[in-house]
């Protein structure tokens, strides 16, 4: 959990590390990629899985510790039934096919989102994958499925409210840290960098709380085309940023 305190001056002190600890990605543009090739949308999503594989590999290679991918939002349930169903099957297939390989590569896999909205078969695979990879010490790969930033904050608020109602928590003790401790990414550092492909420049209800101080990098490239080169461009942009966390440039020594 990241709170804004003076310790942040240290990490904001001019010498920004080239590699963010935590990168979050909005993988947009699968549909347009397919349309440009007169292919059905699901062909774009299938190609998107290949880009996921590439980016997991390069993130691990560059020494990123956490990679959080927005695979399916709370709002994506509004898509045509057939697309939703194909996407769910794609997640299931990808899990089945990739887990052993991820495990061999020391990747720790976890999922965030409203599991009660997912089909049982998928929830079982998710639970097994998390269990299998839980002791791995390499890249933490977090997949957001049926996830929304507002859902996350509402769910955390409910947990806090029930602790207050049960007299386990005093109202006065509710602060940033307390709320962050109930969010889906509790215990993990906030993303340092958000990458969004597909040309749109918005957050789209992703990690609303956790992205508070993230650097934002947008590119026009459609997700299935996202490559190592784009990833390195994002890293290079990140390393050029001065992070102040509310302090002045003078305070962080790079005015
Ligand atoms: C947005 O593109 C993409 C999605 C809603 C699905 C993302 C899924 C994948 C990349 C595939 C699988 C991922 C994992 C983690 C196995 P869009 O359909 O909104 O594209 P458009 O804006 O061009 O229509």
């Amino acid at each position: 959990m990241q709170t804004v305190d003076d310790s942040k001056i240290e990490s904001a002190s001019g010498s920004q590390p080239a590699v963010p600890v935590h990168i979050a990605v909005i993988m947009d543009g699968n549909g347009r990629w397919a349309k440009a090739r007169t292919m059905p949308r699901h062909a774009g999503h299938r190609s998107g899985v290949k880009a996921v594989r590439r980016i997991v590999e390069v993130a691990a290679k560059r020494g990123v510790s956490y990679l959080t991918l927005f695979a399916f939002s709370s709002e994506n349930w509004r898509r045509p039934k057939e697309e939703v169903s194909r996407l769910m099957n794609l997640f299931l297939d990808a899990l089945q096919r990739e887990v052993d390989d991820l495990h061999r590569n020391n990747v720790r896999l976890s999922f965030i989102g409203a599991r009660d909205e997912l089909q049982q078969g998928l929830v079982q695979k998710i639970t097994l994958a998390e269990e299998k990879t839980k002791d791995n010490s390499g890249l933490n790969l977090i997949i957001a499925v049926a996830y929304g930033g507002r859902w996350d904050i509402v769910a955390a608020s409910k947990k806090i409210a029930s602790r207050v109602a049960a007299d386990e928590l005093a109202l006065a003790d509710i602060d940033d840290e307390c709320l962050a401790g109930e969010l889906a990414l509790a215990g993990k550092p906030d993303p340092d960098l958000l990458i969004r492909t597909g040309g749109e420049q918005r957050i789209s209800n992703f990690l609303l709380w956790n992205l508070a101080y993230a650097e934002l990098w947008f590119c026009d490239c459609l997700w299935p085309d996202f490559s190592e080169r784009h990833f390195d461009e994002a890293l290079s942009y990140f390393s050029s940023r001065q992070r102040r966390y509310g302090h002045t440039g003078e305070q962080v020594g790079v005015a």
Side-chain angles (χ1 to χ4, degrees), residues 1 11 14 65-66 79 136 143 148 161 174 178 180 183 221 223 232 246:
M1 207 273 317
S11 55
S65 301
Y66 295 84
R79 292 192 173 203
N136 290 342
I143 312 284
I174 301 175
C178 170
L183 291 170
C221 140
W223 177 251
D232 285 339

Side-chain angles (χ1 to χ4, degrees), residues 24-248:
V25 186
I26 300 179
M27 310 178 287
D28 197 13
N30 293 349
R32 278 166 285 161
W33 183 93
K35 194 171 176 194
R37 289 160 180 77
T38 60
M39 290 158 96
R41 292 180 59 83
H42 62 86
H45 295 315
R46 268 206 313 271
S47 200
V49 177
K50 292 186 193 152
V52 167
R53 208 175 295 134
R54 274 200 301 276
I55 265 28
V56 168
E57 250 179 66
V58 68
K61 216 159 61 180
R62 298 286 183 273
V64 172
S65 301
Y66 295 84
L67 180 67
T68 301
L69 305 179
F70 204 6
F72 192 86
S73 74
S74 311
E75 291 73 30
N76 285 152
W77 292 117
R78 299 174 188 153
R79 292 192 173 203
K81 262 199 171 81
E82 195 204 328
E83 180 170 349
V84 169
S85 155
R86 281 185 181 273
L87 268 170
M88 293 299 145
N89 287 332
L90 194 66
F91 297 147
L92 206 62
D93 282 1
L95 255 179
Q96 243 150 234
R97 255 182 300 111
E98 307 291 341
V99 168
D100 287 344
D101 210 32
L102 290 169
H103 186 46
R104 264 193 304 279
N105 284 292
N106 201 23
V107 172
R108 181 177 180 179
L109 191 57
S110 53
F111 288 78
I112 55 172
R115 288 188 195 199
D116 57 344
E117 294 176 7
L118 301 175
Q119 60 200 54
Q120 261 318 101
L122 183 55
V123 176
Q124 274 166 10
K125 286 271 179 297
I126 284 174
T127 313
L128 284 174
E130 288 179 331
E131 183 58 28
K132 182 168 190 151
T133 61
K134 71 177 188 332
D135 295 324
N136 290 342
S137 56
L139 175 72
N140 281 279
L141 174 61
I142 301 157
I143 312 284
V145 182
Y147 176 87
R150 289 182 175 180
W151 164 84
D152 200 359
I153 293 170
V154 168
S157 308
K158 284 182 180 165
K159 287 181 208 157
I160 289 172
S162 70
R163 282 167 60 200
V164 172
D167 272 339
E168 291 164 16
L169 182 71
L171 209 54
D173 292 332
I174 301 175
D175 56 10
D176 283 16
E177 198 177 339
C178 170
L179 199 125
E182 298 292 357
L183 291 170
L185 285 185
K188 300 180 170 73
D190 284 342
D192 305 291
L193 172 69
L194 171 76
I195 294 175
R196 179 174 185 147
T197 61
E200 309 288 359
Q201 304 202 351
R202 52 179 174 247
I203 306 283
S204 296
N205 198 20
F206 193 30
L207 300 172
L208 293 180
W209 176 282
N210 313 78
L211 288 172
Y213 288 93
E215 300 298 329
L216 310 178
W217 189 80
F218 301 101
C219 71
D220 289 334
C221 140
L222 304 174
W223 177 251
D225 293 326
F226 194 75
S227 66
E228 189 162 339
R229 179 178 64 80
H230 296 108
F231 190 84
D232 285 339
E233 259 177 54
L235 293 192
S236 159
Y237 169 78
F238 176 78
S239 67
S240 74
R241 303 301 303 157
Q242 179 201 104
R243 304 183 81 195
R244 293 197 292 267
Y245 300 98
H247 295 99
T248 65

Side-chain angles (χ1 to χ4, degrees), residues 1-14:
M1 207 273 317
Q2 187 177 67
T3 51
V4 183
D5 57 35
D6 285 346
S7 68
K8 285 290 154 207
I9 294 182
E10 286 162 35
S11 55
S13 63

